[in-house]
């Protein structure tokens, strides 16, 4: 698959890989998703491409086996942090402090419910992200409820209550 991926435009390659993941029921395999995320990041030149892949899998009703839940959360946190740090480098020019936070939107957030078989994702804000680059605490806007839970867990913050979070241990939405 990756031999073909190298010869396609990034958008065509992403569509091909997503189709393959669906047909082979491979989105719950954390190692496979990690490889896909790495390839997407390299092909598009931004961490947000990897985040968009994880959000796409979530919008498709990802079923993560209980034994893979911890690895999946680690992957999600790594990709979220890399995307936030990448976007934080333009924070002053983008006005993250005056606009209510760093915008974490990706195409999956906007298109989430428009693809066949996809479910629209509820978006929220995570108010306590501490940038590794600036050491400043900045809110992250346009994150999913799952992402809020992952960030709260990994950054030792109590997440606000709210339904709809994906249960990565049980493999479905609450």
């Amino acid at each position: 698959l990756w031999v073909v991926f190298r010869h396609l435009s990034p958008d065509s390659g992403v569509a091909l890989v997503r189709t393959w993941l669906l047909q082979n029921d491979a989105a719950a395999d954390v190692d496979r998703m990690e490889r896909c995320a790495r390839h997407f990041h390299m092909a598009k030149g931004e961490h947000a491409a990897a985040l968009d892949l994880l959000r796409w899998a979530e919008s498709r009703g990802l079923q993560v086996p209980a034994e893979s839940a911890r690895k999946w959360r680690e992957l999600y946190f790594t990709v979220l942090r890399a995307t936030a740090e990448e976007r934080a480098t333009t924070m002053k020019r983008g006005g993250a402090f005056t606009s209510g936070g760093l915008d974490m939107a990706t195409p999956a957030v906007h298109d989430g419910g428009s693809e066949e078989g996809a479910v629209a994702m509820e978006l929220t804000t995570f108010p306590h992200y501490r940038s590794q680059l600036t050491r400043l605490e900045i809110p992250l806007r346009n994150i999913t409820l799952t992402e809020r839970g992952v960030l709260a867990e990994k950054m030792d913050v109590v997440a606000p209550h709210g339904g709809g979070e994906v249960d990565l241990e049980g493999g479905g939405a609450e």
Side-chain angles (χ1 to χ4, degrees), residues 16-173:
L16 174 69
V17 170
R18 286 179 175 180
T19 300
W20 182 85
L21 286 168
L22 282 176
Q23 289 183 352
N24 291 287
D25 197 26
D29 180 340
V30 179
D31 293 330
R32 191 168 282 146
M33 288 299 284
E34 189 172 10
R35 274 193 309 278
C36 291
R38 189 173 34 255
H39 280 289
F40 286 11
H41 165 239
M42 290 176 4
K44 289 200 166 202
E46 60 182 19
H47 290 284
L51 179 60
D52 196 56
L53 173 67
L54 299 181
R55 288 175 168 178
W56 170 83
E58 182 181 340
S59 76
R60 293 297 196 165
L62 172 68
Q63 299 292 315
V64 178
E67 64 272 6
S68 300
R70 186 188 59 72
K71 281 181 72 175
W72 180 260
R73 292 179 90 77
E74 289 291 329
L75 173 61
Y76 223 137
F77 180 69
T78 300
V79 170
L80 274 166
R81 177 157 259 178
T83 303
E85 294 301 322
E86 181 176 74
R87 291 184 177 188
T89 59
T90 60
M91 183 170 47
K92 289 180 184 171
R93 287 183 301 201
F97 291 108
T98 58
S99 67
L102 195 59
D103 187 10
M104 297 290 287
T106 64
V109 164
H110 299 299
D111 304 349
S114 65
E115 279 187 27
E116 183 180 330
V119 176
M121 293 178 280
E122 185 178 338
L123 300 178
T124 188
T125 299
F126 182 75
H128 305 290
Y129 178 77
R130 184 169 300 276
S131 170
Q132 292 180 311
L133 179 67
T134 64
R135 302 315 247 173
L136 298 172
E137 195 169 272
I138 54 174
L140 301 180
R141 294 184 300 118
N142 292 320
I143 64 169
T144 68
L145 295 174
T146 299
E147 293 163 0
R148 180 181 68 188
V150 168
L151 286 166
E153 172 190 321
K154 299 295 181 185
M155 300 188 94
D156 295 322
V157 174
V158 177
H161 294 290
E165 198 165 321
V166 172
D167 176 11
L168 293 177
E169 309 251 342

Side-chain angles (χ1 to χ4, degrees), residues 1-10 13-14 16-17 39-40 43:
L1 181 64
W2 297 117
V3 174
V4 174
F5 183 84
R6 275 184 255 149
H7 300 289
L8 298 173
S9 71
V14 166
L16 174 69
V17 170
H39 280 289
F40 286 11

